[in-house]
Amino acid sequence: MKKKRKPKIKIKYGWLVLGVCFLALIQKEWKFEWIHNRAPTSDTEMRAYIDEYAQIAIKEREQHGIPASITLAQGLLESQAGRSALAIKTNNHFGIKCFLTTCPKGHCTNHPDDTHKDFFVIYKNPGESYRAHSKFLKKDRYLPLYQLAISDYKGWAFGLSKAGYATDTQYGQKLIRIIEKYQLYSLDR
C-alpha cells in the first residue's frame, strides 16, 4: 500500500501563518515606519488638521508676517496631516532638522529622510513646532519672501521652493494645490 502524501499546501499555509504572526509581533515591538508613516487616507483627515491648526497658523501670520495659508499647507504636506511618524513621535510638523554638533538629551532624533537618516528637532507640542517654523523662515535665504504681499501664496510657495526649503522640485506646486483645494487663501485676509 502506498503511503499517503500530505498536501504541500498545508505546509505553505503553516509558514504563512507563522510569518504573519512574526510580523505582527515585531511590528508591535519595532513599530515599522511603513505602517506609521502613511499619507492621509481621506479628505476628512486633511480637514481635521486644518480645523485643529488654522488658528495657530493665523497667529503666526499676525506675529511673523508669513501667510497662514503657506504655514498650514506646509504643515499638511510635511506632516502628512499630522499622521507622519515624525509628527507623531516628535511633534515636528515641518521637517525641521537639527544641525547642532552636540545636542542636549531629548533635543533631536535620528529619522529617515529621502534616502538617508537625518537628525530632526523634537518639540514638546505642535504649537512649539509652528513657532519654530516661523523663526526658521527668518533666515536670510527666506527674507526676500517678506517683500511679497501676505495674500501672494503662489509667490511664497515658489519662493520657498527656490530658496531650498525642500528637495522636492514640485514643492511649490504641491503647496499651491493644497491651498487651492482647501481654500486656505481665505486665512490670509
Side-chain angles (χ1 to χ4, degrees), residues 23-121:
L23 283 175
L25 178 67
I26 62 171
Q27 186 278 327
K28 185 176 180 183
E29 185 65 32
W30 293 342
K31 301 195 183 329
F32 283 177
E33 292 294 329
W34 55 269
I35 293 173
H36 297 284
N37 196 9
R38 61 177 181 81
T41 57
S42 71
D43 202 47
T44 305
E45 289 177 321
M46 297 290 274
R47 292 186 190 284
Y49 185 92
I50 293 165
D51 290 345
E52 187 168 353
Y53 297 108
Q55 290 306 311
I56 296 173
I58 290 168
K59 181 180 170 188
E60 293 302 311
R61 180 200 71 210
E62 292 167 352
Q63 291 179 351
H64 299 280
I66 302 162
S69 60
I70 286 292
T71 301
L72 208 48
Q74 283 191 281
L76 282 159
L77 183 59
E78 295 285 342
S79 75
Q80 298 172 342
R83 306 275 191 237
S84 72
L86 186 65
I88 291 167
K89 292 177 184 177
T90 68
N91 290 310
N92 190 331
H93 285 231
F94 298 94
I96 297 177
K97 295 178 182 174
C98 176
F99 293 104
L100 298 175
T101 52
T102 55
C103 290
K105 186 175 177 152
H107 177 266
C108 60
T109 185
N110 196 288
H111 188 81
D113 181 44
D114 297 331
T115 59
H116 61 283
K117 286 192 170 195
D118 278 322
F119 285 92
F120 290 86
V121 179

